[in-house]
Amino acid sequence: MLALRLATDPTAAARARRTVAEALRGWGVPDDTVDDIVLMADELVTNAIEHAGGPVWLRLRLRRGGCVICKVGDGSREAPLLRHSDSDAENGRGLALVAALADAFGSRVTATGKVVWFRRRVRGAGDQAPMTDVDYCPVDRLSAQ
């Protein structure tokens, strides 16, 4: 599992992208899937930094069987909104991108803010994943983690 605490400044997204990519490649995730997961993680981190207060953190886990779960937490209790932006808009499409690339995504309010998460199945990466108590990635268990 990868766990990062991130500063709430512009360098945080670059650090998250670099660290997530290194972890995924170390776990044997194929490059095309690494790119998608890094993009989704970047969107969640960027949203947390731009729209939320308090500390920002990221957790990334590859479960045996090839399921990546990424969670980004922040200090805001306000749930993110999936907006439909014009194709020429400069922003506002981050969650739509996550929705398109992830197998599932969502958010939940916590005592200290919120967690926004996504799940993505990965072909060919499960053999190098750290051992966990679960070999599959059901959506209903994500909010409890």
Side-chain angles (χ1 to χ4, degrees):
M1 182 171 91
L2 168 69
L4 289 175
R5 287 203 180 275
L6 298 163
T8 54
D9 65 42
T11 65
R15 179 177 174 229
R17 285 191 305 270
R18 185 176 52 255
T19 308
V20 166
E22 289 171 3
L24 292 169
R25 287 187 179 104
W27 293 338
V29 174
D31 284 341
D32 60 335
T33 306
V34 167
D35 293 342
D36 288 350
I37 293 170
V38 167
L39 181 59
M40 290 186 285
D42 177 63
E43 290 295 337
L44 297 188
V45 167
T46 299
N47 284 348
I49 291 168
E50 288 184 7
H51 302 292
V56 175
W57 54 264
L58 178 144
R59 290 194 185 109
L60 187 73
R61 174 178 292 170
L62 175 64
R63 297 220 184 234
R64 278 185 29 227
C67 180
V68 171
I69 301 168
C70 179
K71 299 177 190 179
V72 175
D74 61 53
S76 171
R77 297 178 62 95
E78 187 174 330
L81 297 174
L82 180 60
R83 297 185 289 177
H84 297 284
S85 299
D86 293 333
S87 60
D88 60 346
E90 291 185 20
N91 57 27
R93 293 186 297 242
L95 283 181
L97 185 87
V98 173
L101 295 174
D103 293 323
F105 83 101
S107 66
R108 64 181 169 88
V109 174
T110 68
T112 59
K114 73 174 169 300
V115 174
V116 183
W117 58 266
F118 67 82
R119 166 179 68 90
R120 173 78 180 256
R121 290 219 181 267
V122 177
R123 297 187 197 285
D127 297 337
Q128 296 181 36
M131 297 293 284
T132 64
D133 59 339
V134 180
D135 290 344
Y136 59 95
C137 188
V139 174
D140 60 335
R141 299 258 332 255
L142 288 175
S143 61
Q145 296 178 3

